[in-house]
Amino acid sequence: MKIIDGISRMQTMVKIIKKEGKSIGFVPTMGYLHDGHASLARSARAHTDVVVMSIFVNPLQFGPSEDFNRYPRDFARDEDIARRAGVDIIFYPKKEEMYPARYCTYVDVEGLASGLCGASRPGHFRGVTTVVAKLFLIVKPDMAYFGQKDAQQAIVIKRMVEDLNMGIDVKILPIVREKDGLAMSSRNVYLSKVERADAAVLYESLKKAGEMIEGGERDPKKVINAMSDMIKTKPSMRVDYISIVEAKTLKEVDAISGEVLAALAVFAGNTRLVDNVILKA
Amino acid sequence: MKIIDGISRMQTMVKIIKKEGKSIGFVPTMGYLHDGHASLARSARAHTDVVVMSIFVNPLQFGPSEDFNRYPRDFARDEDIARRAGVDIIFYPKKEEMYPARYCTYVDVEGLASGLCGASRPGHFRGVTTVVAKLFLIVKPDMAYFGQKDAQQAIVIKRMVEDLNMGIDVKILPIVREKDGLAMSSRNVYLSKVERADAAVLYESLKKAGEMIEGGERDPKKVINAMSDMIKTKPSMRVDYISIVEAKTLKEVDAISGEVLAALAVFAGNTRLVDNVILKA
């Protein structure tokens, strides 16, 4: 496994791979890898010739009061997980090279990026689309892999790729969960013992939503209230938002029909956890 | 010479060219070609294997009260000029395919795009950077050619290419002028006989600026006033702006030193003409 930290070295490597006629599968991450990331890399391994994983904690997608500085980092551990998942190249760019002082170009996906997490985290998706556009332009992948856990991010990136004619096949892979249902996340490491135990209620509440809709409930407010009541039984959890939206457009629905995304963000202390399920009415 | 109007056909063609190991020189235009465009194509011809010219009147870079609908179009004439300049492929995308109804992704170069023409034409450069990003991602050129006439556009695009790690060598070629000095422009066709004759004053005023600076004048206000006075002698000309800015950053200067860009936009009736010179103090 190669480790590359310079943008121009990465670009040279990409030219060599392309010249050999090999396909590139790309897994962009912020590191502190867990089995969700590994599942993306394994899928890239199965479907493309060369698997590139980027590890870059992107300052542009963090708000001023968010956890950029304390975001967990452990490169030795990441390297080990990446190697075992079949990664060929870790691309590990430096912040100063990604965003030099004169940097001033941004990519915006309007509309899709404004609700849900976009409303709670202004500027977040601009940071995500900008860095992913840059990484895509450096790595030039044939296929790129993202997790369904960040459902809105996945939809926003798919839209960017289509709108800007990037010609990349974006794959969204299922959420990987802990035994009690908690979605795997690098941020889970922040949780206290009590918060960690209580956090299982997030997925419980999403399962509850599924049961209600399967049982015929079509009023999103009733489903959301039931989810909220369930989460409130855990005093360490504070709801940021719970939404039921059209799965493709992320528009709020008045009545549940077709494919919907039930999505939530919940604070445990300062730690913001997200989770979601796609449900069919 | 091939003419391609579908995005996916163009992408397939690019894949074939790349597989053959050939370089691509790209000249994006809005058509109604003149010798300025031809000079870009000839340069691409001299330095790359395959010359692609796009012809696309990009609605996104026109304001609501601007000349999108009446912008001159003459494809047969363009085809002839392109062929003679050595173009291999004309890419002629359709508006509906470039911007389908659900389109919502935009590229912004902040700061550089706000002054000069950006101040007179809000949203113009967002339209330019977005369409050029799309065209670059479809055509995947090694080198791309733009004219110095749109000086701010050239600087904004170079910044976008660098910031987004597009890995394209952007060449800016000198302004091609009519015998009386008027910068060649597709929009010159709008001019009445009187306006056309009067329009020579634009370049005269830029030459005057050069003489004043060569003569030791360092106060931009004095230079701008002299230029303005000169243009005012032609009643068919109405100044939109005259600016003297740092050539690289486009920042206004208090005193002229180093390399500056003297740039102007002038209305002749509804027709907006631009011109500029780079001057060294």
Side-chain angles (χ1 to χ4, degrees):
Chain A
M1 189 174 67
K2 284 192 177 69
I3 293 164
I4 297 181
D5 66 358
I7 291 176
S8 70
R9 259 199 74 208
M10 188 67 223
Q11 287 167 322
T12 304
M13 182 61 65
V14 167
K15 271 188 194 150
I16 293 167
I17 297 166
K18 296 273 174 188
K19 209 164 230 172
E20 292 171 347
K22 290 180 180 164
S23 63
I24 297 176
F26 181 43
V27 184
T29 81
M30 298 209 301
Y32 213 73
L33 304 178
H34 51 66
D35 202 49
H37 299 110
S39 76
L40 304 179
R42 285 191 298 263
S43 188
R45 177 74 285 153
H47 297 102
T48 56
D49 297 324
V50 178
V51 178
V52 180
M53 175 182 277
S54 63
I55 296 181
F56 180 60
V57 185
N58 173 35
L60 209 60
Q61 72 191 68
F62 288 80
S65 65
E66 291 182 355
D67 57 343
F68 173 70
N69 284 317
R70 66 182 190 112
Y71 196 85
R73 291 156 171 94
D74 186 342
F75 189 67
R77 189 172 157 276
D78 288 348
E79 210 183 320
D80 189 48
I81 294 173
R83 184 180 287 113
R84 281 187 284 124
V87 169
D88 297 301
I89 299 170
I90 294 185
F91 178 43
Y92 197 58
K94 292 186 191 76
K95 192 174 68 176
E96 295 70 24
E97 211 192 350
M98 288 292 273
Y99 304 115
R102 62 189 178 282
Y103 191 90
C104 61
T105 304
Y106 302 92
V107 179
D108 279 296
V109 175
E110 295 187 346
L112 288 172
S114 57
L116 307 177
C117 288
S120 305
R121 305 182 68 187
H124 169 67
F125 284 112
R126 158 176 263 212
V128 170
T129 44
T130 299
V131 80
V132 171
K134 282 170 66 72
L135 292 169
F136 280 177
L137 281 154
I138 295 165
V139 175
K140 298 184 166 52
D142 299 276
M143 299 176 98
Y145 296 81
F146 294 86
Q148 171 63 21
K149 183 170 75 75
D150 301 295
Q152 188 177 11
Q153 168 178 285
I155 288 171
V156 165
I157 286 171
K158 270 178 169 271
R159 163 64 49 221
M160 173 183 78
V161 165
E162 191 179 318
D163 280 354
L164 294 185
N165 311 100
M166 288 178 155
I168 297 166
D169 191 356
V170 176
K171 298 291 184 193
I172 310 302
L173 268 60
I175 298 176
V176 178
R177 300 184 177 280
E178 304 286 355
K179 276 189 186 142
D180 65 352
L182 178 65
M184 286 196 185
S185 166
S186 306
R187 288 187 170 101
N188 291 350
V189 72
Y190 294 146
L191 301 174
S192 70
K193 213 162 180 182
V194 170
E195 289 167 346
R196 174 62 193 83
D198 286 356
V201 77
L202 273 56
Y203 186 50
E204 293 299 323
S205 77
L206 289 165
K207 283 198 290 192
K208 171 81 178 167
E211 286 158 17
M212 287 177 76
I213 292 171
E214 202 166 331
E217 184 57 66
R218 292 294 174 264
D219 182 348
K221 277 181 203 147
K222 283 189 184 156
V223 177
I224 290 168
N225 285 340
M227 292 172 70
S228 177
D229 288 345
M230 213 166 155
I231 295 169
K232 276 180 193 157
T233 64
K234 306 291 178 184
S236 74
M237 300 285 126
R238 180 171 54 83
V239 171
D240 180 24
Y241 71 79
I242 304 173
S243 286
I244 296 181
V245 295
E246 276 181 25
K248 281 188 186 143
T249 62
L250 303 182
K251 279 179 188 150
E252 299 274 343
V253 294
D254 291 329
I256 295 164
S257 77
E259 213 173 56
V260 295
L261 179 80
L264 52 78
V266 170
F267 280 101
N270 290 322
T271 305
R272 190 170 173 280
L273 302 171
V274 297
D275 200 352
N276 66 83
V277 291
I278 293 173
L279 299 168
K280 273 169 199 158
Chain B
M1 190 173 67
K2 283 193 177 69
I3 294 163
I4 297 182
D5 66 357
I7 291 175
S8 70
R9 258 199 75 209
M10 189 67 224
Q11 287 168 320
T12 304
M13 181 64 63
V14 167
K15 270 187 195 152
I16 294 167
I17 297 165
K18 296 273 173 186
K19 209 164 231 172
E20 291 171 348
K22 290 180 178 162
S23 63
I24 297 177
F26 181 43
V27 184
T29 82
M30 298 210 300
Y32 212 74
L33 303 178
H34 51 67
D35 203 49
H37 300 108
S39 77
L40 304 179
R42 285 191 298 265
S43 187
R45 176 75 287 153
H47 297 102
T48 55
D49 298 323
V50 178
V51 178
V52 179
M53 174 182 278
S54 63
I55 297 182
F56 180 61
V57 185
N58 173 34
L60 208 60
Q61 72 191 70
F62 288 81
S65 65
E66 291 182 355
D67 57 343
F68 173 70
N69 284 316
R70 67 183 191 110
Y71 196 85
R73 292 158 171 93
D74 185 343
F75 189 68
R77 189 171 157 280
D78 287 348
E79 211 183 319
D80 189 48
I81 293 172
R83 184 180 287 113
R84 280 187 287 126
V87 170
D88 297 301
I89 299 170
I90 295 185
F91 177 43
Y92 197 59
K94 292 186 191 77
K95 192 173 67 176
E96 295 70 23
E97 213 193 349
M98 288 291 273
Y99 304 115
R102 61 188 179 282
Y103 191 90
C104 60
T105 304
Y106 302 92
V107 179
D108 279 295
V109 176
E110 295 186 347
L112 288 172
S114 57
L116 306 178
C117 289
S120 304
R121 305 182 69 187
H124 169 68
F125 285 111
R126 159 177 261 212
V128 170
T129 43
T130 299
V131 80
V132 171
K134 281 170 68 71
L135 292 168
F136 280 177
L137 280 154
I138 295 166
V139 175
K140 297 184 165 54
D142 299 278
M143 299 177 95
Y145 296 80
F146 295 85
Q148 172 63 23
K149 184 171 74 73
D150 301 295
Q152 189 176 10
Q153 168 179 284
I155 288 170
V156 166
I157 287 170
K158 271 178 170 271
R159 165 61 50 221
M160 173 183 76
V161 165
E162 191 179 319
D163 280 354
L164 293 186
N165 311 99
M166 289 178 154
I168 297 167
D169 191 356
V170 176
K171 298 291 183 193
I172 310 302
L173 267 60
I175 298 176
V176 179
R177 300 183 177 280
E178 304 288 354
K179 274 187 188 147
D180 66 352
L182 178 65
M184 287 197 183
S185 166
S186 307
R187 289 188 169 100
N188 291 350
V189 73
Y190 295 147
L191 301 174
S192 71
K193 216 162 177 181
V194 170
E195 289 167 347
R196 173 63 194 81
D198 286 356
V201 77
L202 272 56
Y203 186 51
E204 293 300 324
S205 76
L206 290 165
K207 282 197 293 192
K208 172 79 178 165
E211 287 158 17
M212 288 176 75
I213 292 170
E214 203 166 332
E217 183 56 66
R218 292 293 173 265
D219 183 349
K221 278 181 202 147
K222 284 189 183 156
V223 178
I224 289 168
N225 285 340
M227 292 172 71
S228 177
D229 289 345
M230 212 168 157
I231 294 169
K232 276 180 192 156
T233 64
K234 306 293 178 184
S236 73
M237 301 285 125
R238 180 170 54 82
V239 171
D240 179 23
Y241 72 78
I242 304 175
S243 286
I244 296 180
V245 295
E246 277 182 25
K248 281 187 187 144
T249 62
L250 303 182
K251 279 181 188 150
E252 300 275 345
V253 294
D254 291 330
I256 295 165
S257 79
E259 213 174 53
V260 295
L261 179 81
L264 54 77
V266 169
F267 280 101
N270 290 322
T271 306
R272 191 168 173 281
L273 302 171
V274 298
D275 200 352
N276 67 83
V277 291
I278 292 172
L279 299 168
K280 273 168 200 157

